[in-house]
Amino acid sequence: MREVAVIGAGMTKFGELWNMSLRDLFVESALGAMESAGVDTLDSIYIGNMSAGQFVGQEHLGPLMADSLGMAGVPATRVESACASGGMAIRSAFLEVASGASDFVLAAGVEKMNDGADVTGVLATASDQEEEVYYGVTFPGLYAMIARAHMEKYGTTEEDLSWVSVKAHKNGAKNPHAQFRRVMSLEDVMTSSMVAEPLRLLHCSPVTDGGAAVLLCPLDRAKEFTDKPVKILGSGAATSTLALADRADPSHLDAVELSGQRAYEMAGLKPEDIDVAEVHDCFSIAEICCYEALGFVEQGKGKDAAREGITDLGGAIPVNISGGLKSKGHPVGATGVAQAVTIVEQLRGEAGELQVEGARIGLAQNMGGSGASSTVHIFQGV
């Protein structure tokens, strides 16, 4: 396999983007990635998208997006793995370049969630229809069950969950792409409306429109297009049971652990080698569980990480410096690619106020459903 690098990255602002269509979001982010590398041709395109068919009534995204980008004729494929669609698009692009089949491959993610669809119903399609949705469970409900399981097993409290949200908003307030650029206090979080006990409104990621893209090419050609290429050291993916109740331990994200192990093995690295990470904090409990599954802290110790500053900017392992899904926003198909964009900016030293000093190795973890699918990518600045 060939070594692969990211040579360009682009991203829209995240939020309720009423004046932009699905194709507008894709084109803006894709052009940003291509223009930053000075590349005007592509060999292939992958588009991470969870559910444009239900959100905006549009399927068959490959030809639509290729044509909208002025690239009609280029093979373009939509990739779906619920909220992990963006990460899976990056993995598909990585493998195509690594195999030698193509040299310039765009991995993009896009979602338009605010155009009037029943968002709760659309997102519920990522859970088990027969075993979960039929009985009325929603994603806040599923993650509330994960939180309860973690509380019962490890003594996690609502305040522990809330410190994750406080950190997210502190970072997101400094991110120009973020949907919610305002600081939230511990009291703000703990007095917000209850959604699914013990999860409150400010423990939950928002409904978001947005797009993000990265451009990949062989590492041995990367310096032709940028002075700051970022190498993809490892890529891992895994699945678990779709239904939460079918897992041996609902408080443990086994697909995240397995995808992380596979990425670490490919990269020849360990959790302690990671300088900065973006993980899938669709709910505050998810971030806590990801700390543990990725080996940043011991199992059961994730509840202490945000409160003690371990995962803060300047901490032992800074996590979700972008503000994460909680503050930056969560346009489901675009989220995994946006995480990669953040890591690329960090490893290039281009993160401004949010820069992690001396960051050389970064990790992006993206998952779908209640943790039924997960991707992990490890990057290195070169």
Side-chain angles (χ1 to χ4, degrees), residues 143 146-147 150 156 160-172 199 202-205 251-253 256 277-313 317-328 339 363 365-367 369-371:
Y143 277 91
I146 293 173
H150 207 277
T156 307
D160 294 329
L161 304 179
S162 300
W163 278 113
V164 174
S165 299
V166 170
K167 174 180 68 72
H169 281 276
K170 180 171 65 174
N171 293 334
L199 300 182
L202 292 180
H203 296 135
C204 308
S205 58
S251 70
H252 177 61
L253 296 174
V256 176
E278 291 285 307
V279 306
H280 197 97
D281 61 322
C282 48
F283 298 88
S284 54
I285 184 59
E287 181 168 328
I288 289 172
C289 292
C290 286
Y291 297 157
E292 298 170 354
L294 292 168
F296 297 151
V297 298
E298 294 178 21
Q299 190 70 34
K301 300 294 186 182
K303 62 185 177 62
D304 305 316
R307 175 166 42 81
E308 295 180 359
I310 294 169
T311 53
D312 207 348
L313 184 64
I317 171 64
V319 176
N320 288 344
I321 298 305
S322 67
L325 286 56
K326 174 65 200 74
S327 177
K328 181 182 63 183
Q339 292 174 318
L363 178 150
Q365 179 271 327
N366 182 209
M367 69 184 174
S370 57

Side-chain angles (χ1 to χ4, degrees), residues 78-366:
R78 180 244 185 124
V79 179
E80 186 278 317
S81 188
C83 304
S85 298
M88 290 294 187
I90 293 176
R91 180 171 166 81
S92 299
F94 165 75
L95 292 172
E96 183 165 333
V97 175
S99 73
S102 297
D103 282 347
F104 298 98
V105 181
L106 184 77
V110 64
E111 208 78 61
K112 189 82 171 73
M113 301 175 70
N114 282 292
D115 277 14
D118 174 10
V119 174
T120 300
V122 175
L123 294 178
T125 62
S127 55
D128 192 308
Q129 292 294 308
E130 294 183 8
E131 295 187 18
E132 294 174 330
V133 180
Y134 178 80
Y135 297 99
V137 75
T138 62
F139 268 102
L142 289 169
Y143 277 91
M145 294 178 196
I146 293 173
R148 272 290 163 212
H150 207 277
M151 289 173 163
E152 289 293 322
K153 192 167 186 176
Y154 302 114
T156 307
T157 67
E158 188 180 319
E159 184 173 324
D160 294 329
L161 304 179
S162 300
W163 278 113
V164 174
S165 299
V166 170
K167 174 180 68 72
H169 281 276
K170 180 171 65 174
N171 293 334
K174 299 176 183 178
N175 182 352
H177 293 290
Q179 182 168 359
F180 294 128
R181 297 190 63 193
R182 53 183 185 266
V183 173
M184 295 291 180
S185 68
L186 184 65
E187 182 181 5
D188 290 333
V189 179
M190 295 190 69
T191 58
S192 61
S193 302
M194 189 66 74
V195 175
E197 200 277 333
L199 300 182
R200 296 181 178 274
L201 182 65
L202 292 180
H203 296 135
C204 308
S205 58
V207 175
T208 312
D209 305 329
V214 290
L215 179 59
L216 277 53
C217 86
L219 179 63
D220 61 10
R221 293 197 60 189
K223 286 292 182 73
E224 298 175 32
F225 307 99
T226 177
D227 294 331
K228 298 178 180 179
V230 173
K231 181 180 177 182
I232 300 179
L233 296 177
S235 175
T239 59
S240 183
T241 65
L242 189 58
L244 180 62
D246 290 337
R247 296 179 204 162
D249 181 359
S251 70
H252 177 61
L253 296 174
D254 54 345
V256 176
E257 179 180 40
L258 188 54
S259 60
Q261 289 174 348
R262 289 168 176 166
Y264 290 136
E265 182 178 0
M266 181 182 288
L269 297 174
K270 298 178 179 179
E272 52 266 34
D273 296 317
I274 304 301
D275 297 316
V276 59
E278 291 285 307
V279 306
H280 197 97
D281 61 322
C282 48
F283 298 88
S284 54
I285 184 59
E287 181 168 328
I288 289 172
C289 292
C290 286
Y291 297 157
E292 298 170 354
L294 292 168
F296 297 151
V297 298
E298 294 178 21
Q299 190 70 34
K301 300 294 186 182
K303 62 185 177 62
D304 305 316
R307 175 166 42 81
E308 295 180 359
I310 294 169
T311 53
D312 207 348
L313 184 64
I317 171 64
V319 176
N320 288 344
I321 298 305
S322 67
L325 286 56
K326 174 65 200 74
S327 177
K328 181 182 63 183
H330 183 24
V332 286
T335 288
V337 185
Q339 292 174 318
V341 171
T342 295
I343 295 300
V344 168
E345 290 174 346
Q346 285 284 344
L347 300 183
R348 286 178 164 180
E350 299 173 349
E353 291 183 82
L354 296 171
Q355 182 65 48
V356 174
E357 186 176 353
R360 290 189 63 253
I361 306 290
L363 178 150
Q365 179 271 327
N366 182 209

